[in-house]
């Protein structure tokens, strides 16, 4: 088993990466349409804009992505 501090100054562990889900950053209706596998047509973008407005960006994103 490899020591996690190998190559680091004595007693210092490497920094852990910041993990993100994506729903904590701003989302555009175009992004949401594409996340759902739709082309960003005016109709799809408008549908996703309404979805964001009704449910909130975080919930709409969470529901659209696996």
């Amino acid at each position: 088993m490899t020591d996690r501090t190998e190559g680091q100054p004595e007693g210092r562990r490497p920094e852990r990466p910041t993990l993100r889900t994506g729903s904590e950053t701003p989302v555009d209706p175009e992004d949401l349409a594409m996340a759902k596998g739709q082309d960003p047509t005016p109709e799809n973008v408008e549908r996703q804009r309404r979805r964001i407005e009704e449910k909130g960006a975080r919930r709409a994103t969470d529901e659209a992505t696996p």
Side-chain angles (χ1 to χ4, degrees):
M1 185 171 186
T2 305
D3 181 15
R4 295 187 78 189
T5 60
E6 187 176 311
Q8 295 290 320
E10 186 64 34
R12 183 166 177 200
R13 292 189 176 267
E15 290 184 29
R16 298 183 76 168
T18 302
L19 302 177
R20 298 176 0 145
T21 63
S23 64
E24 70 275 357
T25 58
V27 60
D28 294 324
E30 293 86 353
D31 297 331
L32 196 55
M34 289 188 287
K36 291 180 69 71
Q38 302 169 341
D39 290 327
T41 63
E43 295 82 14
N44 288 337
V45 170
E46 178 59 24
R47 185 178 309 116
Q48 298 310 321
R49 185 197 63 74
R50 287 192 312 266
R51 182 183 190 102
I52 291 169
E53 189 175 287
E54 291 169 7
K55 296 186 176 206
R58 183 175 186 139
R59 183 171 175 196
T61 303
D62 287 345
E63 290 177 354
T65 56

mmCIF file of all heavy atoms in Angstrom, residues 18-55:
data_model
loop_
_atom_site.group_PDB
_atom_site.id
_atom_site.type_symbol
_atom_site.label_atom_id
_atom_site.label_comp_id
_atom_site.label_asym_id
_atom_site.label_seq_id
_atom_site.Cartn_x
_atom_site.Cartn_y
_atom_site.Cartn_z
ATOM 1 N N THR A 18 -11.889 19.417 -4.834
ATOM 2 C CA THR A 18 -13.225 19.909 -4.554
ATOM 3 C C THR A 18 -14.186 19.219 -5.510
ATOM 4 O O THR A 18 -14.029 19.301 -6.718
ATOM 5 C CB THR A 18 -13.291 21.439 -4.761
ATOM 6 O OG1 THR A 18 -12.335 22.046 -3.908
ATOM 7 C CG2 THR A 18 -14.670 21.967 -4.449
ATOM 8 N N LEU A 19 -15.142 18.513 -4.957
ATOM 9 C CA LEU A 19 -16.123 17.813 -5.785
ATOM 10 C C LEU A 19 -17.351 18.690 -5.947
ATOM 11 O O LEU A 19 -17.823 19.293 -4.991
ATOM 12 C CB LEU A 19 -16.504 16.485 -5.138
ATOM 13 C CG LEU A 19 -15.346 15.528 -4.898
ATOM 14 C CD1 LEU A 19 -15.838 14.286 -4.180
ATOM 15 C CD2 LEU A 19 -14.683 15.152 -6.205
ATOM 16 N N ARG A 20 -17.862 18.744 -7.163
ATOM 17 C CA ARG A 20 -19.038 19.564 -7.447
ATOM 18 C C ARG A 20 -20.064 18.731 -8.177
ATOM 19 O O ARG A 20 -19.737 17.888 -8.984
ATOM 20 C CB ARG A 20 -18.657 20.752 -8.318
ATOM 21 C CG ARG A 20 -17.682 21.679 -7.674
ATOM 22 C CD ARG A 20 -17.236 22.806 -8.577
ATOM 23 N NE ARG A 20 -17.831 22.786 -9.892
ATOM 24 C CZ ARG A 20 -18.157 23.863 -10.573
ATOM 25 N NH1 ARG A 20 -17.956 25.040 -10.080
ATOM 26 N NH2 ARG A 20 -18.680 23.769 -11.770
ATOM 27 N N THR A 21 -21.317 19.011 -7.913
ATOM 28 C CA THR A 21 -22.392 18.318 -8.624
ATOM 29 C C THR A 21 -22.866 19.101 -9.828
ATOM 30 O O THR A 21 -23.495 18.552 -10.715
ATOM 31 C CB THR A 21 -23.595 18.074 -7.697
ATOM 32 O OG1 THR A 21 -24.113 19.342 -7.301
ATOM 33 C CG2 THR A 21 -23.205 17.257 -6.485
ATOM 34 N N GLY A 22 -22.608 20.402 -9.833
ATOM 35 C CA GLY A 22 -23.043 21.239 -10.940
ATOM 36 C C GLY A 22 -24.274 22.047 -10.625
ATOM 37 O O GLY A 22 -24.517 23.080 -11.220
ATOM 38 N N SER A 23 -25.089 21.587 -9.696
ATOM 39 C CA SER A 23 -26.319 22.320 -9.416
ATOM 40 C C SER A 23 -26.102 23.517 -8.505
ATOM 41 O O SER A 23 -27.026 24.277 -8.275
ATOM 42 C CB SER A 23 -27.373 21.393 -8.801
ATOM 43 O OG SER A 23 -26.937 20.918 -7.558
ATOM 44 N N GLU A 24 -24.882 23.704 -8.021
ATOM 45 C CA GLU A 24 -24.619 24.866 -7.178
ATOM 46 C C GLU A 24 -24.119 26.076 -7.977
ATOM 47 O O GLU A 24 -23.877 27.125 -7.427
ATOM 48 C CB GLU A 24 -23.622 24.516 -6.062
ATOM 49 C CG GLU A 24 -22.207 24.264 -6.533
ATOM 50 C CD GLU A 24 -21.962 22.834 -6.993
ATOM 51 O OE1 GLU A 24 -22.856 21.992 -6.913
ATOM 52 O OE2 GLU A 24 -20.858 22.577 -7.462
ATOM 53 N N THR A 25 -24.007 25.919 -9.275
ATOM 54 C CA THR A 25 -23.581 27.013 -10.139
ATOM 55 C C THR A 25 -24.752 27.460 -11.007
ATOM 56 O O THR A 25 -25.705 26.702 -11.187
ATOM 57 C CB THR A 25 -22.403 26.571 -11.040
ATOM 58 O OG1 THR A 25 -22.820 25.456 -11.813
ATOM 59 C CG2 THR A 25 -21.177 26.207 -10.215
ATOM 60 N N PRO A 26 -24.702 28.671 -11.537
ATOM 61 C CA PRO A 26 -25.813 29.138 -12.378
ATOM 62 C C PRO A 26 -26.064 28.201 -13.569
ATOM 63 O O PRO A 26 -25.130 27.638 -14.128
ATOM 64 C CB PRO A 26 -25.356 30.510 -12.865
ATOM 65 C CG PRO A 26 -24.317 30.942 -11.899
ATOM 66 C CD PRO A 26 -23.660 29.682 -11.403
ATOM 67 N N VAL A 27 -27.318 28.053 -13.915
ATOM 68 C CA VAL A 27 -27.672 27.191 -15.043
ATOM 69 C C VAL A 27 -28.562 27.988 -15.991
ATOM 70 O O VAL A 27 -29.442 28.727 -15.561
ATOM 71 C CB VAL A 27 -28.374 25.901 -14.575
ATOM 72 C CG1 VAL A 27 -29.650 26.200 -13.836
ATOM 73 C CG2 VAL A 27 -28.633 24.967 -15.724
ATOM 74 N N ASP A 28 -28.287 27.860 -17.274
ATOM 75 C CA ASP A 28 -29.085 28.520 -18.306
ATOM 76 C C ASP A 28 -30.106 27.527 -18.846
ATOM 77 O O ASP A 28 -29.877 26.313 -18.826
ATOM 78 C CB ASP A 28 -28.194 28.979 -19.462
ATOM 79 C CG ASP A 28 -27.220 30.062 -19.068
ATOM 80 O OD1 ASP A 28 -27.594 30.919 -18.243
ATOM 81 O OD2 ASP A 28 -26.090 30.046 -19.584
ATOM 82 N N PRO A 29 -31.224 28.021 -19.363
ATOM 83 C CA PRO A 29 -32.206 27.105 -19.966
ATOM 84 C C PRO A 29 -31.601 26.257 -21.090
ATOM 85 O O PRO A 29 -31.967 25.098 -21.258
ATOM 86 C CB PRO A 29 -33.290 28.037 -20.495
ATOM 87 C CG PRO A 29 -33.151 29.289 -19.712
ATOM 88 C CD PRO A 29 -31.698 29.394 -19.373
ATOM 89 N N GLU A 30 -30.649 26.837 -21.825
ATOM 90 C CA GLU A 30 -29.988 26.081 -22.896
ATOM 91 C C GLU A 30 -29.219 24.899 -22.313
ATOM 92 O O GLU A 30 -29.231 23.798 -22.861
ATOM 93 C CB GLU A 30 -29.020 26.982 -23.688
ATOM 94 C CG GLU A 30 -29.714 28.062 -24.476
ATOM 95 C CD GLU A 30 -29.988 29.340 -23.683
ATOM 96 O OE1 GLU A 30 -29.756 29.378 -22.449
ATOM 97 O OE2 GLU A 30 -30.471 30.308 -24.294
ATOM 98 N N ASP A 31 -28.532 25.134 -21.190
ATOM 99 C CA ASP A 31 -27.782 24.060 -20.523
ATOM 100 C C ASP A 31 -28.727 22.944 -20.097
ATOM 101 O O ASP A 31 -28.424 21.764 -20.256
ATOM 102 C CB ASP A 31 -27.053 24.586 -19.287
ATOM 103 C CG ASP A 31 -26.003 25.629 -19.602
ATOM 104 O OD1 ASP A 31 -25.428 25.587 -20.712
ATOM 105 O OD2 ASP A 31 -25.755 26.481 -18.731
ATOM 106 N N LEU A 32 -29.847 23.328 -19.528
ATOM 107 C CA LEU A 32 -30.799 22.340 -19.034
ATOM 108 C C LEU A 32 -31.397 21.536 -20.184
ATOM 109 O O LEU A 32 -31.546 20.307 -20.077
ATOM 110 C CB LEU A 32 -31.897 23.035 -18.237
ATOM 111 C CG LEU A 32 -32.752 22.169 -17.338
ATOM 112 C CD1 LEU A 32 -31.909 21.376 -16.358
ATOM 113 C CD2 LEU A 32 -33.758 23.016 -16.601
ATOM 114 N N ALA A 33 -31.715 22.189 -21.280
ATOM 115 C CA ALA A 33 -32.243 21.465 -22.448
ATOM 116 C C ALA A 33 -31.226 20.439 -22.933
ATOM 117 O O ALA A 33 -31.572 19.277 -23.172
ATOM 118 C CB ALA A 33 -32.597 22.442 -23.571
ATOM 119 N N MET A 34 -29.981 20.825 -23.051
ATOM 120 C CA MET A 34 -28.950 19.903 -23.526
ATOM 121 C C MET A 34 -28.695 18.787 -22.511
ATOM 122 O O MET A 34 -28.444 17.645 -22.897
ATOM 123 C CB MET A 34 -27.671 20.654 -23.859
ATOM 124 C CG MET A 34 -27.828 21.514 -25.118
ATOM 125 S SD MET A 34 -26.305 22.260 -25.712
ATOM 126 C CE MET A 34 -26.059 23.526 -24.489
ATOM 127 N N ALA A 35 -28.790 19.088 -21.220
ATOM 128 C CA ALA A 35 -28.614 18.059 -20.198
ATOM 129 C C ALA A 35 -29.703 16.997 -20.292
ATOM 130 O O ALA A 35 -29.489 15.836 -19.946
ATOM 131 C CB ALA A 35 -28.610 18.690 -18.807
ATOM 132 N N LYS A 36 -30.868 17.395 -20.771
ATOM 133 C CA LYS A 36 -31.976 16.454 -20.943
ATOM 134 C C LYS A 36 -31.913 15.748 -22.299
ATOM 135 O O LYS A 36 -32.812 14.984 -22.636
ATOM 136 C CB LYS A 36 -33.308 17.187 -20.791
ATOM 137 C CG LYS A 36 -33.558 17.659 -19.362
ATOM 138 C CD LYS A 36 -34.862 18.374 -19.203
ATOM 139 C CE LYS A 36 -36.072 17.518 -19.349
ATOM 140 N NZ LYS A 36 -36.355 16.572 -18.294
ATOM 141 N N GLY A 37 -30.880 16.020 -23.089
ATOM 142 C CA GLY A 37 -30.728 15.378 -24.385
ATOM 143 C C GLY A 37 -31.527 16.042 -25.487
ATOM 144 O O GLY A 37 -31.764 15.445 -26.531
ATOM 145 N N GLN A 38 -31.962 17.279 -25.257
ATOM 146 C CA GLN A 38 -32.750 18.002 -26.251
ATOM 147 C C GLN A 38 -31.876 19.008 -26.986
ATOM 148 O O GLN A 38 -30.909 19.518 -26.445
ATOM 149 C CB GLN A 38 -33.879 18.765 -25.556
ATOM 150 C CG GLN A 38 -34.809 17.916 -24.755
ATOM 151 C CD GLN A 38 -35.745 18.735 -23.883
ATOM 152 O OE1 GLN A 38 -35.505 19.900 -23.605
ATOM 153 N NE2 GLN A 38 -36.823 18.113 -23.444
ATOM 154 N N ASP A 39 -32.254 19.281 -28.232
ATOM 155 C CA ASP A 39 -31.608 20.367 -28.961
ATOM 156 C C ASP A 39 -32.078 21.684 -28.348
ATOM 157 O O ASP A 39 -33.231 21.794 -27.930
ATOM 158 C CB ASP A 39 -31.986 20.335 -30.444
ATOM 159 C CG ASP A 39 -31.361 19.158 -31.167
ATOM 160 O OD1 ASP A 39 -30.240 18.766 -30.793
ATOM 161 O OD2 ASP A 39 -32.001 18.634 -32.100
ATOM 162 N N PRO A 40 -31.203 22.689 -28.301
ATOM 163 C CA PRO A 40 -31.605 23.969 -27.710
ATOM 164 C C PRO A 40 -32.442 24.825 -28.664
ATOM 165 O O PRO A 40 -32.096 25.950 -29.005
ATOM 166 C CB PRO A 40 -30.276 24.633 -27.362
ATOM 167 C CG PRO A 40 -29.300 24.069 -28.335
ATOM 168 C CD PRO A 40 -29.776 22.657 -28.608
ATOM 169 N N THR A 41 -33.559 24.280 -29.111
ATOM 170 C CA THR A 41 -34.476 25.030 -29.971
ATOM 171 C C THR A 41 -35.202 26.078 -29.131
ATOM 172 O O THR A 41 -35.266 25.946 -27.901
ATOM 173 C CB THR A 41 -35.519 24.096 -30.611
ATOM 174 O OG1 THR A 41 -36.304 23.523 -29.566
ATOM 175 C CG2 THR A 41 -34.862 22.999 -31.439
ATOM 176 N N PRO A 42 -35.755 27.101 -29.748
ATOM 177 C CA PRO A 42 -36.483 28.111 -28.971
ATOM 178 C C PRO A 42 -37.588 27.503 -28.099
ATOM 179 O O PRO A 42 -37.783 27.932 -26.961
ATOM 180 C CB PRO A 42 -37.060 29.042 -30.042
ATOM 181 C CG PRO A 42 -36.108 28.927 -31.187
ATOM 182 C CD PRO A 42 -35.668 27.481 -31.171
ATOM 183 N N GLU A 43 -38.280 26.487 -28.605
ATOM 184 C CA GLU A 43 -39.356 25.856 -27.832
ATOM 185 C C GLU A 43 -38.805 25.133 -26.605
ATOM 186 O O GLU A 43 -39.349 25.252 -25.502
ATOM 187 C CB GLU A 43 -40.144 24.868 -28.710
ATOM 188 C CG GLU A 43 -40.887 25.513 -29.852
ATOM 189 C CD GLU A 43 -40.006 25.777 -31.084
ATOM 190 O OE1 GLU A 43 -38.867 25.232 -31.171
ATOM 191 O OE2 GLU A 43 -40.441 26.535 -31.953
ATOM 192 N N ASN A 44 -37.739 24.355 -26.792
ATOM 193 C CA ASN A 44 -37.146 23.627 -25.669
ATOM 194 C C ASN A 44 -36.534 24.572 -24.640
ATOM 195 O O ASN A 44 -36.649 24.350 -23.438
ATOM 196 C CB ASN A 44 -36.089 22.640 -26.163
ATOM 197 C CG ASN A 44 -36.696 21.457 -26.874
ATOM 198 O OD1 ASN A 44 -37.854 21.118 -26.672
ATOM 199 N ND2 ASN A 44 -35.911 20.835 -27.738
ATOM 200 N N VAL A 45 -35.886 25.620 -25.119
ATOM 201 C CA VAL A 45 -35.285 26.598 -24.208
ATOM 202 C C VAL A 45 -36.370 27.284 -23.386
ATOM 203 O O VAL A 45 -36.236 27.440 -22.168
ATOM 204 C CB VAL A 45 -34.420 27.625 -24.983
ATOM 205 C CG1 VAL A 45 -33.998 28.785 -24.091
ATOM 206 C CG2 VAL A 45 -33.200 26.931 -25.584
ATOM 207 N N GLU A 46 -37.474 27.660 -24.016
ATOM 208 C CA GLU A 46 -38.575 28.300 -23.298
ATOM 209 C C GLU A 46 -39.180 27.343 -22.275
ATOM 210 O O GLU A 46 -39.491 27.739 -21.152
ATOM 211 C CB GLU A 46 -39.645 28.783 -24.270
ATOM 212 C CG GLU A 46 -40.843 29.429 -23.597
ATOM 213 C CD GLU A 46 -40.506 30.632 -22.738
ATOM 214 O OE1 GLU A 46 -39.468 31.278 -22.973
ATOM 215 O OE2 GLU A 46 -41.282 30.935 -21.815
ATOM 216 N N ARG A 47 -39.340 26.080 -22.634
ATOM 217 C CA ARG A 47 -39.886 25.079 -21.712
ATOM 218 C C ARG A 47 -38.972 24.947 -20.489
ATOM 219 O O ARG A 47 -39.442 24.904 -19.346
ATOM 220 C CB ARG A 47 -40.012 23.738 -22.423
ATOM 221 C CG ARG A 47 -40.686 22.673 -21.594
ATOM 222 C CD ARG A 47 -40.859 21.352 -22.339
ATOM 223 N NE ARG A 47 -41.491 21.519 -23.640
ATOM 224 C CZ ARG A 47 -40.899 21.246 -24.812
ATOM 225 N NH1 ARG A 47 -39.669 20.797 -24.843
ATOM 226 N NH2 ARG A 47 -41.543 21.425 -25.944
ATOM 227 N N GLN A 48 -37.666 24.926 -20.719
ATOM 228 C CA GLN A 48 -36.729 24.790 -19.605
ATOM 229 C C GLN A 48 -36.629 26.087 -18.785
ATOM 230 O O GLN A 48 -36.441 26.040 -17.575
ATOM 231 C CB GLN A 48 -35.360 24.353 -20.113
ATOM 232 C CG GLN A 48 -35.362 23.002 -20.794
ATOM 233 C CD GLN A 48 -36.051 21.913 -20.000
ATOM 234 O OE1 GLN A 48 -35.947 21.827 -18.780
ATOM 235 N NE2 GLN A 48 -36.788 21.052 -20.702
ATOM 236 N N ARG A 49 -36.803 27.232 -19.429
ATOM 237 C CA ARG A 49 -36.825 28.500 -18.694
ATOM 238 C C ARG A 49 -37.993 28.505 -17.704
ATOM 239 O O ARG A 49 -37.840 28.883 -16.543
ATOM 240 C CB ARG A 49 -36.941 29.694 -19.647
ATOM 241 C CG ARG A 49 -36.842 31.048 -18.922
ATOM 242 C CD ARG A 49 -37.351 32.183 -19.772
ATOM 243 N NE ARG A 49 -38.769 32.050 -20.102
ATOM 244 C CZ ARG A 49 -39.777 32.257 -19.241
ATOM 245 N NH1 ARG A 49 -39.536 32.587 -17.994
ATOM 246 N NH2 ARG A 49 -41.032 32.121 -19.632
ATOM 247 N N ARG A 50 -39.157 28.047 -18.169
ATOM 248 C CA ARG A 50 -40.329 27.967 -17.286
ATOM 249 C C ARG A 50 -40.095 26.961 -16.161
ATOM 250 O O ARG A 50 -40.471 27.197 -15.017
ATOM 251 C CB ARG A 50 -41.587 27.596 -18.079
ATOM 252 C CG ARG A 50 -42.109 28.736 -18.940
ATOM 253 C CD ARG A 50 -43.508 28.460 -19.492
ATOM 254 N NE ARG A 50 -43.652 27.133 -20.082
ATOM 255 C CZ ARG A 50 -43.503 26.850 -21.376
ATOM 256 N NH1 ARG A 50 -43.211 27.818 -22.229
ATOM 257 N NH2 ARG A 50 -43.660 25.618 -21.818
ATOM 258 N N ARG A 51 -39.466 25.863 -16.494
ATOM 259 C CA ARG A 51 -39.170 24.836 -15.484
ATOM 260 C C ARG A 51 -38.257 25.394 -14.391
ATOM 261 O O ARG A 51 -38.496 25.169 -13.204
ATOM 262 C CB ARG A 51 -38.524 23.632 -16.157
ATOM 263 C CG ARG A 51 -38.211 22.503 -15.243
ATOM 264 C CD ARG A 51 -37.493 21.397 -16.020
ATOM 265 N NE ARG A 51 -37.392 20.231 -15.213
ATOM 266 C CZ ARG A 51 -38.161 19.172 -15.332
ATOM 267 N NH1 ARG A 51 -39.074 19.124 -16.259
ATOM 268 N NH2 ARG A 51 -38.001 18.148 -14.529
ATOM 269 N N ILE A 52 -37.229 26.146 -14.793
ATOM 270 C CA ILE A 52 -36.321 26.765 -13.825
ATOM 271 C C ILE A 52 -37.090 27.764 -12.962
ATOM 272 O O ILE A 52 -36.909 27.823 -11.748
ATOM 273 C CB ILE A 52 -35.133 27.445 -14.535
ATOM 274 C CG1 ILE A 52 -34.218 26.381 -15.155
ATOM 275 C CG2 ILE A 52 -34.355 28.346 -13.585
ATOM 276 C CD1 ILE A 52 -33.169 26.945 -16.099
ATOM 277 N N GLU A 53 -37.954 28.536 -13.600
ATOM 278 C CA GLU A 53 -38.743 29.544 -12.879
ATOM 279 C C GLU A 53 -39.695 28.882 -11.876
ATOM 280 O O GLU A 53 -39.846 29.362 -10.755
ATOM 281 C CB GLU A 53 -39.535 30.371 -13.884
ATOM 282 C CG GLU A 53 -40.217 31.576 -13.293
ATOM 283 C CD GLU A 53 -40.868 32.408 -14.384
ATOM 284 O OE1 GLU A 53 -40.121 33.061 -15.131
ATOM 285 O OE2 GLU A 53 -42.106 32.369 -14.487
ATOM 286 N N GLU A 54 -40.317 27.786 -12.258
ATOM 287 C CA GLU A 54 -41.293 27.108 -11.396
ATOM 288 C C GLU A 54 -40.646 26.317 -10.264
ATOM 289 O O GLU A 54 -41.110 26.356 -9.131
ATOM 290 C CB GLU A 54 -42.154 26.153 -12.229
ATOM 291 C CG GLU A 54 -43.088 26.855 -13.189
ATOM 292 C CD GLU A 54 -43.732 25.891 -14.173
ATOM 293 O OE1 GLU A 54 -43.563 24.650 -14.032
ATOM 294 O OE2 GLU A 54 -44.399 26.381 -15.107
ATOM 295 N N LYS A 55 -39.586 25.591 -10.587
ATOM 296 C CA LYS A 55 -39.003 24.669 -9.615
ATOM 297 C C LYS A 55 -37.733 25.191 -8.953
ATOM 298 O O LYS A 55 -37.300 24.635 -7.959
ATOM 299 C CB LYS A 55 -38.680 23.342 -10.291
ATOM 300 C CG LYS A 55 -39.919 22.637 -10.787
ATOM 301 C CD LYS A 55 -39.594 21.281 -11.304
ATOM 302 C CE LYS A 55 -40.889 20.588 -11.688
ATOM 303 N NZ LYS A 55 -40.776 19.161 -11.625
#
